[in-house]
């Protein structure tokens, strides 16, 4: 009887799924967002581009002249986007369809926000 109980307990431990960061972050997979950003606080305007968050944790930033790719991760209401060119965007969900935060790009600090499309 003790062996059976021990086997049952071991099976229940191994069958439990741990929550991962993917389970408790923002639901960004396979979504499009309108990105507004300025890389310098002295700028009076926001540049615009489009973000596409892929399910495999990759992200594309479709800008006017080119596309920059990178990776994204999310935990709770926060998201970090690290682009292959070194730009890093950190943000927090404001509503279910808006995110805002700070960025570092080309050695400058700025701000950004995105609206879900």
């Amino acid at each position: 009887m003790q062996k059976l109980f021990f086997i049952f307990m071991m099976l229940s431990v191994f069958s439990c799924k741990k929550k991962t960061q993917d389970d408790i972050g923002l639901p960004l997979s396979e979504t499009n967002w309108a990105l507004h950003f300025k890389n310098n606080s002295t700028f009076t305007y926001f540049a615009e581009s489009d973000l596409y968050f892929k399910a495999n944790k990759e992200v594309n930033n479709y800008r006017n002249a080119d596309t920059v790719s990178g990776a994204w991760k999310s935990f709770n209401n926060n998201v970090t986007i690290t682009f292959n060119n070194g730009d890093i965007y950190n943000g927090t969900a404001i509503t279910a369809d808006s995110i805002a935060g700070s960025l570092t790009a080309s050695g400058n600090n700025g701000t950004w926000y995105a609206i879900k499309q």
Side-chain angles (χ1 to χ4, degrees):
M1 185 66 167
Q2 286 180 332
K3 286 183 184 182
L4 185 59
F5 179 74
F6 178 75
I7 291 171
F8 175 73
M9 290 302 293
M10 292 303 292
L11 287 174
S12 66
V13 167
F14 289 114
S15 66
C16 291
K17 180 184 174 197
K18 289 186 178 180
K19 280 196 173 232
T20 65
Q21 196 163 325
D22 296 337
D23 297 328
I24 53 179
L26 297 171
L28 299 173
S29 294
E30 304 301 324
T31 60
N32 290 295
W33 295 71
L35 174 64
H36 306 266
F37 61 97
K38 57 181 181 176
N39 296 350
N40 189 316
S41 61
T42 63
F43 291 171
T44 58
Y45 64 91
F46 282 87
E48 297 179 18
S49 63
D50 292 310
L51 287 178
Y52 178 65
F53 292 92
K54 299 178 182 180
N56 65 358
K57 299 297 183 182
E58 292 178 2
V59 63
N60 287 333
N61 183 0
Y62 300 103
R63 305 185 304 189
N64 285 334
D66 62 0
T67 298
V68 180
S69 297
W72 66 275
K73 61 183 176 180
S74 179
F75 185 74
N76 291 333
N77 286 334
N78 300 310
V79 63
T80 298
I81 306 167
T82 306
F83 290 104
N84 296 338
N85 66 357
D87 295 356
I88 300 173
Y89 288 55
N90 291 301
T92 302
I94 306 304
T95 65
D97 58 357
S98 65
I99 302 170
S102 61
L103 64 89
T104 302
S106 304
N108 295 314
N109 295 318
T111 59
W112 69 280
Y113 69 93
I115 307 291
K116 189 174 183 180
Q117 296 179 322

